[in-house]
């Protein structure tokens, strides 16, 4: 367990965090994209439990007992990275991404939506490079594929 500024700690996901994590994830997603997610909460929980937990390790950021962020990552990819809207800009996302980089095989890929300019800046400042642009069918939004490689990482403070 690590802390950022003495108040945020990083732990493995526990099932009793699911409801709070989903609410935080949805609010962060909707705020970042300026949309309303039309999917029922139950569908998002099912996606998390069946698609993310089965394929990715999930790390959660807690302030006290409040879920303030999470990352779902494998040795090759970052599937999800979201920070509570009230906790953005405090280094939590960087710490979670550094965790994913440290446990990677030396490279990672991820997607973000074209309209999420803040996420683009975040990833680019941390050594990720655009490798493709496309269109995400489910959301009907343009997306960007990013890749990071330890051998090409010229950022400071990364794992």
């Amino acid at each position: 367990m690590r802390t950022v500024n003495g108040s945020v700690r990083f732990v493995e996901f526990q099932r009793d965090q699911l409801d709070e994590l989903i609410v935080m994830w949805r609010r962060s997603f909707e705020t970042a994209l300026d949309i309303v997610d039309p999917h029922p909460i139950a569908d998002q929980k099912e996606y998390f439990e069946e698609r993310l937990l089965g394929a990715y390790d999930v790390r959660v950021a807690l302030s006290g007992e409040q879920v303030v962020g999470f990352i779902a990552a494998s040795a090759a990819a970052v599937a999800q990275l979201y920070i509570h809207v009230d906790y953005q800009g405090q280094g939590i996302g960087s710490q979670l991404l550094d965790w994913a980089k440290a446990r990677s095989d030396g490279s990672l890929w991820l997607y973000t939506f074209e309209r999420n300019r803040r996420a683009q800046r975040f990833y680019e400042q941390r050594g990720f490079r655009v490798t493709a642009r496309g269109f995400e069918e489910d959301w009907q939004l343009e997306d960007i594929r990013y890749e990071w490689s330890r051998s090409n990482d010229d950022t400071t403070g990364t794992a």
Side-chain angles (χ1 to χ4, degrees):
M1 231 181 316
R2 298 189 312 185
T3 61
V4 174
N5 299 329
S7 63
V8 177
R9 59 194 168 97
F10 301 93
V11 299
E12 290 180 39
F13 170 76
Q14 301 296 315
R15 293 238 179 240
D16 64 349
Q17 299 164 333
L18 181 61
D19 290 341
E20 187 179 359
L21 184 147
I22 296 297
V23 170
M24 182 279 305
W25 178 12
R26 180 171 288 232
R27 181 172 176 223
S28 178
F29 176 84
E30 289 177 340
T31 300
L33 297 178
D34 194 28
I35 63 172
V36 174
D37 188 336
H39 302 95
I41 291 282
D43 289 358
Q44 194 166 355
K45 284 182 184 180
E46 181 179 320
Y47 174 84
F48 184 89
E49 290 179 307
E50 294 182 8
R51 301 281 300 280
L52 295 182
L53 286 181
Y56 301 94
D57 291 326
V58 178
R59 197 91 172 143
V60 177
L62 298 173
S63 177
E65 295 305 313
Q66 178 184 3
V67 174
V68 297
F70 86 99
I71 190 169
S74 68
V78 174
Q80 305 292 333
L81 173 57
Y82 285 92
I83 306 303
H84 189 292
V85 295
D86 296 336
Y87 286 80
Q88 293 176 6
Q90 297 182 25
I92 297 166
S94 295
Q95 292 290 323
L96 289 169
L97 193 57
D98 285 349
W99 171 82
K101 286 178 174 182
R103 59 179 304 283
S104 75
D105 290 333
S107 64
L108 290 170
W109 60 267
L110 58 84
Y111 284 90
T112 194
F113 289 110
E114 174 75 33
R115 70 192 306 173
N116 192 346
R117 304 280 188 224
R118 186 173 185 165
Q120 291 173 50
R121 284 190 305 275
F122 174 82
Y123 292 122
E124 290 169 10
Q125 290 171 353
R126 285 150 187 86
F128 283 79
R129 304 291 176 246
V130 174
T131 59
R133 294 180 183 271
F135 189 78
E136 208 286 324
E137 292 292 330
D138 289 339
W139 287 99
Q140 295 291 299
L141 294 171
E142 294 175 351
D143 63 8
I144 302 171
R145 180 183 168 112
Y146 279 96
E147 293 183 13
W148 167 84
S149 171
R150 185 173 290 121
S151 62
N152 294 330
D153 192 350
D154 59 359
T155 61
T156 59
T158 57

